[in-house]
Amino acid sequence: MQAAWLARGLDQAGGKLPLFDAEGRRVAEKTIRACIAAGWAEPWFSNPIKPDWLVCRLTEAGRAVASNALES
């Protein structure tokens, strides 16, 4: 799940990671926090309308993980 989420940021401006999955469900906070803890994603900015949402972007390490997942 983590690699798939990270891969969705590869073609986004600034490496922005999605808040919702392909079916429109919110990405689990556990997934987001695990990726941040691993150094694959980093918080980008606060959303003033939804302050509880973690808006993140890929780190260089996250780009490597996502790219490797696509190659496999």
Side-chain angles (χ1 to χ4, degrees):
M1 176 64 190
Q2 294 169 353
W5 179 64
L6 294 169
R8 293 186 60 207
L10 288 173
D11 60 353
Q12 297 299 311
K16 182 184 179 295
L17 291 163
L19 296 171
F20 299 92
D21 67 14
E23 286 81 40
R25 292 179 298 233
R26 199 164 156 200
V27 174
E29 186 173 341
K30 185 176 180 179
T31 298
I32 296 170
R33 293 210 180 272
C35 289
I36 292 170
W40 301 334
E42 62 186 1
W44 196 356
F45 61 85
S46 297
N47 183 335
I49 296 171
K50 295 285 188 177
D52 57 321
W53 287 5
L54 286 169
V55 180
C56 296
R57 65 179 169 185
L58 285 170
T59 62
E60 287 305 313
R63 285 186 186 281
V65 169
S67 295
N68 288 339
L70 289 178
E71 292 173 5
S72 297

